[in-house]
Amino acid sequence: MKRITMLLTAAFAFLFSGCTSSHTDYEGQIRDLKQQIQKQTQAIDDLKQQNEKLTEKAAASDDRVEGNLLQIALAVAQALKEKNMEQLSLYVDSEKGVRFSPYGHVNVKTDLVFTPKQLPSLMESGQTYQFGEFDGSGEPIKMTFGQYFDRFVYDVDFANPQLIGNNVIVGKGNTLQNIQEAYPNSAFVEFHFTGFDQQYDGMDWRSLRLVFEQRSGVWCLVGIVHDQWTA
């Protein structure tokens, strides 16, 4: 703010110094002053946006330190619900990134990992990735990030689940669950739906597991594991 005040003071000083100049010079000074004010206004807006981002990031960091794991997981689920990848990136481990797994068996070698810097632009990207293989057919899951997100991340309203498992696996099918082996130093929260259509007798259940690891006392998101009934 001190820098902004100095800029504005200099601008007005420039205006008053031109009072003794000719009419033509005065008009030129007015134009210059308007341009300076526009630049200063833009600079102020830029500083405000930077401050908002820093405040938001600091708040997210404080929540991860002070809040318990469930509170943090709920905040991440809300960011996913809103498709707010920039907000999500604030919770992601800065070094490891976050791994996306389409099914309960995590493949640490082939499941894709994205860094916090990559996340904000992924939703609008038209680039196709291979996110693993479809259960049953074995066909490659070739999708844009947005398509994968709608199918294997937030395909149901996980921010408002029927059940929540705190470091406990709720949804179980034929897939070998290996979340503890894939993330040996982690804790996770599972958001679960027992099913949607009675005719399927619970075989249409869905789960989303958010996996966290601690770094310097802060819970960081390292894995997003989608799960469902598999043959």
Side-chain angles (χ1 to χ4, degrees):
M1 290 304 296
K2 182 178 180 182
R3 179 186 173 190
I4 296 170
T5 301
M6 291 174 65
L7 286 170
L8 291 174
T9 301
F12 283 111
F14 177 80
L15 172 62
F16 289 122
S17 66
C19 291
T20 58
S21 302
S22 67
H23 181 70
T24 301
D25 291 341
Y26 180 75
E27 289 181 343
Q29 291 171 4
I30 290 296
R31 285 195 300 271
D32 291 342
L33 179 59
K34 287 182 177 179
Q35 291 177 357
Q36 289 184 36
I37 291 175
Q38 288 176 349
K39 290 180 181 179
Q40 292 158 12
T41 300
Q42 184 60 53
I44 292 171
D45 290 340
D46 291 343
L47 288 171
K48 285 181 178 179
Q49 291 178 6
Q50 292 175 18
N51 183 61
E52 288 174 358
K53 288 183 179 180
L54 289 172
T55 301
E56 187 179 47
K57 188 170 184 178
S61 178
D62 290 342
D63 287 344
R64 287 185 291 169
V65 174
E66 298 174 1
N68 61 41
L69 185 63
L70 180 57
Q71 290 174 329
I72 297 161
L74 287 169
V76 171
Q78 186 62 33
L80 292 173
K81 179 183 178 71
E82 297 171 359
K83 293 187 176 182
N84 190 337
M85 295 298 101
E86 187 166 349
Q87 180 67 20
L88 179 70
S89 69
L90 300 179
Y91 291 92
V92 174
D93 188 285
S94 59
E95 295 184 14
K96 291 187 175 182
V98 56
R99 179 184 290 113
F100 289 82
S101 302
Y103 298 106
H105 185 82
V106 178
N107 191 323
V108 296
K109 294 183 178 180
T110 60
D111 289 348
L112 297 187
V113 176
F114 295 100
T115 66
K117 290 184 179 180
Q118 291 175 309
L119 283 172
S121 63
L122 284 176
M123 197 64 75
E124 304 302 325
S125 174
Q127 182 175 346
T128 299
Y129 301 90
Q130 181 169 336
F131 289 91
E133 299 177 345
F134 283 102
D135 173 69
S137 70
E139 293 294 320
I141 302 174
K142 291 186 177 181
M143 299 178 174
T144 65
F145 180 83
Q147 291 169 335
Y148 176 86
F149 186 94
D150 291 340
R151 174 63 181 82
F152 288 105
V153 177
Y154 210 86
D155 54 331
V156 294
D157 192 11
F158 287 115
N160 297 288
Q162 293 174 329
L163 297 171
I164 294 179
N166 195 344
N167 229 30
V168 175
I169 292 178
V170 181
K172 296 180 180 179
N174 293 333
T175 300
L176 176 64
Q177 308 285 347
N178 70 333
I179 196 167
Q180 289 89 354
E181 290 77 17
Y183 302 98
N185 301 310
S186 70
F188 67 92
V189 175
E190 178 171 344
F191 299 88
H192 180 76
F193 285 91
T194 58
F196 303 91
D197 194 326
Q198 290 185 351
Q199 68 174 317
Y200 295 117
D201 195 26
M203 294 179 68
D204 57 343
W205 61 268
R206 293 285 191 280
S207 281
L208 190 69
R209 301 183 186 106
L210 303 179
V211 189
F212 298 86
E213 292 180 359
Q214 281 197 326
R215 182 180 297 280
S216 301
V218 176
W219 285 111
C220 298
L221 182 68
V222 294
I224 297 179
V225 184
H226 181 272
D227 204 3
Q228 63 188 70
W229 178 266
T230 52

